[in-house]
């Protein structure tokens, strides 16, 4: 064995390895510096127009698409539901009419509905409060999974209907089941990037306050009449009134109610 040649080979290998590690380090450092510069410029741009926001969610994370199916309800699902008559003209939608209307507070607080849904709605704990429409006397809840809501999704939704006495008299329910993660995890755009996209798009006006930013899922594609693909999506709430949505993979702005129009 020629030790001098072997020694030279080892030296060369270590030299190449060191160059590779140095390259990776410099690339990572440059990327981090670029992200810091970019975020700083976004902040300056927002401050210039007096756009403020509360602390944002974690900026670096990975997520996947979800694939889900519309549940087909059966009579067995409704047997134990109390104080109601249930219709299933559409097997993917329950329509319940309460024998005795359910009273709720005049203020319509979201917390009070947790127990109501658990007691009277099939798998009611899988839904979260979304909105109260005083004009139409309806209260809407959307399904959630892994602590993330399915935003504006008509296929994972409970709608409560009220009478003039502020009592719940009936409801409609749809549900997504067999939920699975789909494709490989991808890095998400940060919350501040989602805000920047909306700002550049003209959806966030000067002197606005961003009151909430959260990650959930929005229907990306209806692959069949019963199968749905959901994409990670940032929800940005402006001034506690306006809901805006940004695809967390490609930063595309999602038009409000687009998914409802597709699926209904």
């Amino acid at each position: 064995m020629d030790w001098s040649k072997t020694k030279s080979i080892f030296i060369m290998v270590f030299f190449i390895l060191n160059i590779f590690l140095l390259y990776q380090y410099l690339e990572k450092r440059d990327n981090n510096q670029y992200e810091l510069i970019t975020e700083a410029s976004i902040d300056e741009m927002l401050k210039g127009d007096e756009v403020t926001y509360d602390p944002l969610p974690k900026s670096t994370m990975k997520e996947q698409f979800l694939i889900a199916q519309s549940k087909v309800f059966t009579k067995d699902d409704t047997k134990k539901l109390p104080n109601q008559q249930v219709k299933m003209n559409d097997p993917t939608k329950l329509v319940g009419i309460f024998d005795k209307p359910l009273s709720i507070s005049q203020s319509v607080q979201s917390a009070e509905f947790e127990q109501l849904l658990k007691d009277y709605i099939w798998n009611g704990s899988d839904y979260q409060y979304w909105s109260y429409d005083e004009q139409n006397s309806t209260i809407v809840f959307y399904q959630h999974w892994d602590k993330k809501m399915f935003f504006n999704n008509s296929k994972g939704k409970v709608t409560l209907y009220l009478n003039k006495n502020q009592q719940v008299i009936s409801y409609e329910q749809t549900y997504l089941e067999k939920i699975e993660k789909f494709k490989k995890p991808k890095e998400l755009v940060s919350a501040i990037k989602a805000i920047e996209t909306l700002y550049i798009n003209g959806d966030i006006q000067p002197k606005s306050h961003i009151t909430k930013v959260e990650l959930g899922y929005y229907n990306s594609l209806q692959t069949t009449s019963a199968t749905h693909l959901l994409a990670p999506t940032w929800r940005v709430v402006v001034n506690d009134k306006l809901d805006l949505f940004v695809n967390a993979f490609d930063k595309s702005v999602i038009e409000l109610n687009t998914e409802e129009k597709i699926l209904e």
Side-chain angles (χ1 to χ4, degrees):
M1 180 177 181
D2 191 333
W3 172 246
S4 62
K5 288 185 179 180
T6 304
K7 183 178 178 182
S8 298
I9 292 172
F10 273 116
I11 292 172
M12 183 61 67
V13 169
F14 281 121
F15 178 72
I16 294 172
L17 179 61
N18 286 334
I19 291 176
F20 174 74
L21 292 175
L22 178 61
Y23 171 78
Q24 284 195 320
Y25 167 76
L26 292 174
E27 185 177 41
K28 185 176 180 180
R29 186 195 65 179
D30 290 344
N31 287 338
N32 289 339
Q33 287 178 343
Y34 174 75
E35 289 176 5
L36 288 172
I37 292 170
T38 303
E39 290 191 9
S41 62
I42 296 170
D43 280 334
E44 290 174 4
M45 184 170 58
L46 296 175
K47 286 178 182 177
D49 267 346
E50 299 180 51
V51 176
T52 57
Y53 54 86
D54 294 332
L56 300 176
K58 183 180 177 183
S59 59
T60 304
M61 59 181 82
K62 290 186 177 182
E63 279 292 347
Q64 295 169 255
F65 284 102
L66 296 182
I67 193 164
Q69 294 185 16
S70 290
K71 175 176 173 58
V72 175
F73 292 99
T74 67
K75 290 184 178 180
D76 287 340
D77 296 324
T78 66
K79 281 182 178 179
K80 296 182 179 180
L81 296 177
N83 184 38
Q84 60 189 271
Q85 304 297 318
V86 179
K87 298 179 181 179
M88 287 186 292
N89 297 330
D90 177 350
T92 64
K93 180 185 289 187
L94 290 184
V95 178
I97 302 172
F98 291 110
D99 299 326
K100 182 180 179 181
L102 307 176
S103 297
I104 59 173
S105 64
Q106 293 294 320
S107 59
V108 186
Q109 298 294 322
S110 60
E112 75 175 295
F113 295 110
E114 291 182 10
Q115 194 60 47
L116 187 151
L117 264 64
K118 287 180 182 178
D119 291 342
Y120 296 100
I121 306 296
W122 185 86
N123 276 20
S125 59
D126 288 347
Y127 297 86
Q128 286 182 344
Y129 173 82
W130 176 256
S131 66
Y132 169 46
D133 186 336
E134 188 172 0
Q135 184 176 357
N136 293 312
S137 298
T138 57
I139 304 172
V140 172
F141 305 79
Y142 287 117
Q143 195 175 335
H144 65 93
W145 185 83
D146 192 27
K147 299 181 180 179
K148 299 179 182 68
M149 183 180 282
F150 297 161
F151 299 132
N152 213 33
N153 197 316
S154 65
K155 299 306 178 183
K157 179 181 181 181
V158 167
T159 304
L160 302 181
Y161 294 91
L162 311 180
N163 61 16
K164 293 180 180 179
N165 298 320
Q166 198 77 357
Q167 295 173 312
V168 182
I169 56 174
S170 63
Y171 70 90
E172 291 183 351
Q173 178 185 14
T174 55
Y175 189 83
L176 290 173
E177 64 175 2
K178 299 179 181 177
I179 301 167
E180 297 179 357
K181 293 186 176 182
F182 183 66
K183 293 189 175 182
K184 294 181 179 179
K186 293 173 59 178
E187 190 167 318
L188 303 182
V189 300
S190 64
I192 190 66
K193 277 290 187 181
I195 292 171
E196 178 191 32
T197 299
L198 293 168
Y199 174 80
I200 292 173
N201 198 53
D203 296 310
I204 298 176
Q205 300 301 312
K207 298 185 178 180
S208 295
H209 179 59
I210 297 167
T211 49
K212 186 174 185 178
V213 180
E214 65 174 329
L215 186 68
Y217 293 92
Y218 209 103
N219 200 81
S220 177
L221 179 68
Q222 184 175 349
T223 56
T224 69
S225 60
T227 304
H228 314 277
L229 185 69
L230 297 96
T233 299
W234 287 112
R235 174 197 179 199
V236 179
V237 184
V238 182
N239 298 326
D240 273 331
K241 294 180 180 179
L242 179 62
D243 288 292
L244 302 170
F245 302 96
V246 177
N247 185 301
F249 282 151
D250 62 15
K251 295 195 299 181
S252 59
V253 177
I254 300 170
E255 294 296 330
L256 192 64
N257 291 328
T258 295
E259 187 257 353
E260 293 281 354
K261 292 175 183 175
I262 292 171
L263 296 181
E264 291 189 329

